[in-house]
Amino acid sequence: MNYDIKQAERSIQKQFEEIDEIRDFNQRKVLKAFYDNRVAPEHFYTVSGYGHDDLGREVLDKTFAQVFSAEKALVRIHFASGTHTLACALFGNLRAGDKLISVAGTPYDTMQEVIGTAGDSETKRASLIGNGVLYEEVPLLNNTDIDYQKLEEMIDEKTTMVLIQRSKGYSTRKSLTIDDIERICKIVKSKNQDCICFVDNCYGEFVDKQEPLEVGADLIGGSLIKNPGGGIVEAGGYIAGKEKYVERAANRLTAPGIGSEGGAMFNQHRLIFQGLFMAPSVVSEALKGAILAAKVFEDIGFNSIPKYNEKRTDIIQNIIFGKPEHLEEFCKTIQSLSPVNGYVTPIPEYIPGYEDKVIMAGGTFIEGSTIELSADGPMREPYAAYMQGGLNYAHIKICLEEMLKKLNI
């Protein structure tokens, strides 16, 4: 059997046209934010030392805030990762005795250590729970869907914050659409108007025409080496939302009294501005590659989540292999066709923040970048690959063609 990948492409043109429409909408939105905030070459240069009176950093924050419909944004290279970004938002807004509820079951592996439900004794001591924060989870229905009834029952006047993880993490649940997030926020606010609705927006930026703050969320956070960095930002993260919540997170990132007013940016402004400008187009390329991957693997007998014709809310494509050797072969193929470290063979290994061995393919220009084509997965049932990113569609297509050759299809 010779699989016709060109025929697969022809069959998904409707989905591609929808992605193009979203891309164009978001590109206009970003362009307007640049114009309205009068972005100019002088905003590409930064100050040194304490980083006080940095005009470029101020305009960068305002531009991000407008793009994401926020009162305030905090855009900093000082965030070490997406997990660090989210941790600053959580620790900045939660105190001993406050209650945090995870809406979509158990969060992503690294977040479990931040919360305190996983990790060694020292990690747990430093976690939210270790610092006296109360924590509960709304269990999923059938391990896939949000239990809205249970959510309504669990929210009360003592609930300080709900954590809404937009993307699925290393689970097989459905990622949350903008409509899902809106419904969650409405339920939460109907039960407790003061409860903070915090959305982990990683992998979701620019996938839809709306962002979570436009449908009721109070606070969002994400990584600059994912969607909003456009594949060129070297490090960092962003937090956006209501001003008081963002400033609390800033006090956690730097120090009380410094907040968002300090921190030299080491001449990274231009890259962050340019990455944001490129992001809608780069995200659309990754989405098209994910749709093609879903179509190809469904056609050859594997379970893909989401399906090629389902509405998407993030750039992640699940392929359920069912066998460890298939997962390993997939990741090895992605690595072998990477522009960086293509000669390296990935092997499953324990890494910080994860309970199981994980295999990762990521021959990326920016270490750990997941807006660049990468794939990974924990070595546990159901042996699912999590493919994400792709700076251009052609690269993803080449990898899929090679995988078909290895499978002799």
Side-chain angles (χ1 to χ4, degrees):
M1 172 183 173
N2 292 318
Y3 185 86
D4 188 349
I5 203 165
K6 291 187 180 296
Q7 177 58 39
E9 287 182 295
R10 287 191 287 270
S11 69
I12 54 179
Q13 285 308 301
K14 178 183 177 183
Q15 285 73 33
F16 281 12
E17 290 172 4
E18 292 171 353
I19 295 301
D20 287 345
E21 182 182 339
I22 293 169
R23 175 201 63 201
D24 294 351
F25 177 90
N26 285 320
Q27 193 66 65
R28 289 189 185 95
K29 178 171 67 173
V30 170
L31 184 60
K32 187 176 188 302
F34 274 63
Y35 178 82
D36 290 347
N37 289 283
R38 304 173 70 89
V39 175
E42 56 262 33
H43 299 137
F44 300 160
Y45 306 105
T46 58
V47 298
S48 59
Y50 292 131
H52 294 161
D53 302 316
D54 186 335
L55 180 61
R57 188 183 62 210
E58 179 183 334
V59 172
L60 181 63
D61 286 350
K62 288 181 177 178
T63 304
F64 262 76
Q66 182 171 333
V67 167
F68 290 104
S69 300
E71 292 179 5
K72 184 180 178 65
L74 180 74
V75 187
R76 298 292 183 272
I77 62 166
H78 312 99
F79 290 116
S81 64
T83 299
H84 180 210
T85 307
L86 302 175
C88 286
L90 290 167
F91 277 96
N93 285 281
L94 293 168
R95 297 291 177 266
D98 288 347
K99 183 164 69 173
L100 171 68
I101 293 180
S102 173
V103 170
T106 302
Y108 188 70
D109 295 54
T110 56
M111 290 305 297
Q112 293 173 38
E113 296 194 329
V114 171
I115 292 167
T117 56
D120 60 27
S121 59
E122 285 301 308
T123 300
K124 289 181 178 179
R125 184 174 182 272
S127 70
L128 288 169
I129 293 174
N131 280 270
V133 174
L134 308 176
Y135 175 70
E136 296 178 3
E137 295 176 359
V138 181
L140 294 169
L141 285 172
N142 303 317
N143 294 319
T144 58
D145 297 305
I146 301 295
D147 190 336
Y148 292 103
Q149 182 176 341
K150 187 68 174 176
L151 170 65
E152 189 167 0
E153 293 172 359
M154 291 178 65
I155 301 297
D156 57 27
E157 69 280 358
K158 296 181 180 179
T159 309
T160 309
M161 177 187 282
V162 293
L163 173 61
I164 306 167
Q165 185 177 290
R166 181 172 180 174
S167 193
K168 67 186 70 175
Y170 281 159
S171 75
T172 53
R173 74 159 170 87
K174 297 176 182 176
S175 293
L176 303 181
T177 66
I178 289 294
D179 290 342
D180 294 329
I181 293 169
E182 182 174 26
R183 185 176 176 185
I184 290 166
C185 292
K186 284 182 176 178
I187 290 173
V188 170
K189 294 298 185 179
S190 71
K191 300 290 289 186
N192 182 347
Q193 186 62 36
D194 296 325
C195 182
I196 303 167
C197 293
F198 174 41
V199 178
D200 171 359
N201 207 29
C202 287
Y203 302 106
E205 299 92 348
F206 304 118
V207 174
D208 212 326
K209 291 182 178 180
Q210 288 181 299
E211 297 291 339
L213 295 174
E214 298 174 74
V215 296
D218 299 300
L219 193 65
I220 61 173
S223 168
L224 295 182
I225 61 170
K226 295 184 174 69
N227 300 21
I232 64 170
V233 178
E234 295 182 1
Y238 76 94
I239 296 171
K242 291 185 176 178
E243 183 173 2
K244 63 180 178 180
Y245 302 140
V246 174
E247 195 57 44
R248 288 175 186 174
N251 285 331
R252 178 70 188 194
L253 174 63
T254 57
I258 298 176
S260 60
E261 299 301 318
M265 294 285 283
F266 305 108
N267 291 309
Q268 295 295 300
H269 285 156
R270 196 267 302 168
L271 280 177
I272 301 174
F273 274 116
Q274 189 173 358
L276 177 63
F277 182 76
M278 294 170 59
S281 291
V282 172
V283 168
S284 74
E285 292 287 285
L287 286 171
K288 288 179 179 179
I291 290 169
L292 179 63
K295 175 64 175 172
V296 167
F297 280 100
E298 286 171 31
D299 286 350
I300 64 176
F302 291 98
N303 184 17
S304 292
I305 303 172
K307 303 297 182 187
Y308 76 91
N309 55 358
E310 283 187 89
K311 181 175 175 60
R312 292 182 176 255
T313 188
D314 61 21
I315 62 169
I316 297 178
Q317 182 62 48
N318 262 170
I319 300 121
I320 312 298
F321 287 111
K323 295 181 179 180
E325 55 267 28
H326 287 162
L327 172 58
E328 290 189 46
E329 187 60 46
F330 179 80
C331 290
K332 288 176 181 178
T333 300
I334 296 292
Q335 186 72 45
S336 69
L337 292 168
S338 296
V340 180
N341 278 342
Y343 61 90
V344 173
T345 301
I347 60 172
E349 190 53 85
Y350 289 108
I351 57 176
Y354 299 88
E355 292 294 318
D356 300 281
K357 284 186 176 181
V358 176
I359 185 166
M360 290 189 167
T364 55
F365 293 97
I366 307 297
E367 182 185 353
S369 171
T370 44
I371 188 58
E372 300 181 57
L373 181 59
S374 54
D376 51 77
M379 300 305 294
R380 65 185 183 220
E381 293 284 354
Y383 298 103
Y386 295 77
M387 188 189 94
Q388 58 269 319
L391 298 180
N392 62 75
Y393 172 76
H395 183 204
I396 304 169
K397 181 179 173 182
I398 289 168
C399 290
L400 292 172
E401 289 173 335
E402 186 64 26
M403 179 60 70
L404 290 170
K405 290 178 184 177
K406 288 182 180 293
L407 294 172
N408 197 28
I409 291 175

